[in-house]
């Protein structure tokens, strides 16, 4: 039987000093799914994301991405491996001194030996995918908030990663721009076959794009299931999250 688990986390435990942030976290992510990690402030959701991205060390047999135990990677393999992961940061993290096209091209210039003509072609393709082809020569300061997010998304997918991690991608966007960004992520998932893991507080986004919900509370995964299951769950804190996020409207 084919293993469609693209991420597996087994008994991840994290403490900072005396404070236990993650007591015992286990979950898996299926290939092709959009999985949203939810939780209150300080619940540990960002800590989970940072461990998946290798920003904190993990023990052997705890975190597996793309069927690779990340604790067993040596220095060279680690660099090659993390190039397979796209990361879409909350603030976009674009360099203001570079044009949009130069920002998007950076990973290709740093990690490949492709000729400039091919790099330009690939950048134009990705900008077209995120509906930003007219911003090729613009600088980040010339972009709206929604355009900045799309430029950052183009850079995150320039190496065609099978896995895309998004950290509060819709933060600061108006409802129309947020809906447009969600639609883009859905389209990219379909066109590029990516698996997406997202940390977000935006309930409207969650209702539009999530296949699976991981709700973090008290250092554990208090809910692990489908979006429809999350909406019907009796867990008070999860129910309150959706109630408050929709202004009390029925979901």
């Amino acid at each position: 039987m084919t293993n469609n688990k693209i991420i597996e986390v087994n008994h991840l435990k994290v403490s900072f000093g005396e404070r236990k942030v993650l007591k015992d976290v286990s979950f898996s992510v299926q290939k092709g799914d959009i999985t949203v990690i939810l939780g209150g402030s300080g619940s540990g959701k960002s800590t989970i994301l940072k461990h998946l991205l290798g920003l904190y060390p993990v023990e052997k047999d705890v975190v597996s991405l793309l069927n690779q135990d990340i604790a067993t990677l040596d220095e060279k393999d680690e660099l090659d491996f993390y190039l397979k992961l796209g990361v879409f940061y909350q603030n976009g993290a674009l360099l203001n001194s570079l044009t949009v096209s130069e920002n998007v091209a950076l990973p290709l210039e740093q990690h490949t030996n492709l000729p400039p003509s091919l790099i330009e072609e690939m950048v134009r393709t990705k900008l077209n995918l995120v509906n930003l082809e007219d911003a090729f020569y613009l600088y980040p300061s010339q972009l709206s908030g929604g355009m900045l997010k799309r430029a950052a998304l183009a850079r995150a997918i320039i190496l065609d990663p099978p896995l895309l991690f998004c950290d509060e991608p819709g933060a600061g966007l108006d409802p129309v721009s947020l809906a447009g960004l969600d639609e883009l992520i859905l389209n990219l998932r379909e066109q590029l076959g990516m698996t997406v893991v997202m940390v977000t507080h935006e309930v409207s986004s969650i209702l539009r794009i999530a296949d699976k919900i991981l709700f973090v509370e008290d250092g554990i995964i208090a809910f692990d299931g489908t979006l429809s299951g999350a909406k019907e769950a009796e867990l008070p804190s999860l129910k309150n999250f959706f109630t408050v996020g929709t202004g009390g409207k029925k979901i």
Side-chain angles (χ1 to χ4, degrees), residues 174-237:
D174 63 83
V176 174
S177 297
L178 180 60
L181 182 63
D182 292 339
E183 189 65 29
L184 270 179
I185 291 173
L186 286 169
N187 289 340
L188 290 173
R189 189 261 298 265
E190 296 304 316
Q191 293 181 49
L192 303 179
M194 293 187 307
T195 302
V196 181
V197 176
M198 180 184 297
V199 170
T200 183
H201 289 93
E202 303 289 349
V203 173
S204 59
S205 283
I206 295 164
L207 296 175
R208 277 190 290 262
I209 70 175
D211 296 307
K212 180 177 179 177
I213 299 293
L214 298 171
F215 188 75
V216 188
E217 186 176 44
D218 294 328
I220 63 169
I221 302 293
F223 177 87
D224 179 346
T226 63
L227 174 61
S228 58
K231 292 191 289 185
E232 300 298 327
E234 292 302 316
L235 182 66
S237 49

Side-chain angles (χ1 to χ4, degrees), residues 144-165:
S144 68
M147 293 171 73
L148 278 169
K149 299 281 188 179
R150 285 184 277 147
L153 182 54
R155 188 179 61 184
I157 64 171
I158 191 63
L159 292 172
D160 293 323
L163 249 176
L164 176 66
F165 292 94

Side-chain angles (χ1 to χ4, degrees), residues 5-80:
K5 293 179 182 178
I6 201 165
I7 297 176
E8 291 188 79
V9 176
N10 296 299
H11 306 295
L12 176 62
K13 301 173 184 178
V14 178
S15 295
F16 296 126
E18 296 295 315
R19 179 170 169 254
K20 289 184 178 180
V21 179
L22 301 177
K23 298 175 183 175
D24 191 348
V25 166
S26 298
F27 65 88
S28 63
V29 172
Q30 297 291 320
K31 183 178 180 180
D33 276 358
I34 296 179
T35 298
V36 175
I37 304 176
L38 302 179
S41 297
S43 62
K45 56 189 182 300
S46 293
T47 301
I48 293 174
L49 192 64
K50 289 175 180 176
H51 279 81
L52 294 178
L53 291 171
L55 299 178
Y56 292 135
V58 294
E59 296 180 0
K60 190 177 178 182
D61 298 325
V62 175
V63 177
S64 172
L65 305 180
L66 305 173
N67 295 315
Q68 172 70 61
D69 185 340
I70 64 173
T72 64
L73 294 169
D74 60 30
E75 190 172 341
K76 180 186 180 301
D77 290 340
E78 191 174 50
L79 175 60
D80 293 339

